[in-house]
Amino acid sequence: TAEEKLDILTACDIIPKITFTTKVFVDDDEDDNVYEGDLLTILVTIERQDKAKLVYAPHFPFPKQEGWWILLGNSVDNRILHVEKVTSSGTTVEHRIKMQAPKQGQYRFNLQIKSNAYIGLDHSDEISVVTLDASKLPEYKIHPEDAELDDEPTLFEEMMAANVEKDDSDDEDE
């Protein structure tokens, strides 16, 4: 019927048109290498062509907002490492997963992005990370001027020193 066709067109207009991208990196690092113990960031970006609308669910008892579950698991032993729900009505959603890089070796992680409302919009991605031995890094040396700063009093110490009486006498006569 014409009413059913309109209902289908409405549903097709509301269902999101989405692309997913992932990027693995170490913040403030000049090279692309990952060393054991580094703070690793997995950036998950969800981009849509239009702003999110309420979910098309005519038989649901109340209006429902669109959301996405982001799950990160270890491919070897199927352990879940990260689960979080992301909701946003914007066209771009960025979600950062922070974790410490494991010891030296090659690792595979399974990333799942699941819709809380629609079947068939889920996304799966395998993320590979190669961590290198941290002992191969050049030795970190502190500049002598920076080392001297450790001997300087902090602002808190200066304020506490200003509050101390210069004449610490315990005489009861005073």
Side-chain angles (χ1 to χ4, degrees), residues 71-88:
L71 301 99
L72 181 70
N74 188 339
S75 294
V76 175
D77 57 5
N78 293 325
R79 287 184 335 159
I80 294 176
L81 304 173
H82 177 86
V83 176
E84 192 164 342
K85 184 177 181 183
V86 177
T87 57
S88 174

Side-chain angles (χ1 to χ4, degrees), residues 28-81:
D28 300 329
D29 202 1
E30 287 106 29
D31 61 5
D32 291 335
N33 294 329
V34 177
Y35 293 93
E36 56 187 358
D38 279 349
L39 182 60
L40 194 64
T41 302
I42 301 170
L43 177 64
V44 179
T45 306
I46 303 170
E47 290 187 69
R48 48 182 306 130
Q49 292 179 0
D50 52 0
K51 288 193 170 198
K53 302 172 184 156
L54 290 176
V55 171
Y56 178 77
H59 300 294
F60 205 68
F62 53 86
K64 182 170 179 57
Q65 187 70 32
E66 177 184 299
W68 300 92
W69 285 96
I70 299 177
L71 301 99
L72 181 70
N74 188 339
S75 294
V76 175
D77 57 5
N78 293 325
R79 287 184 335 159
I80 294 176
L81 304 173

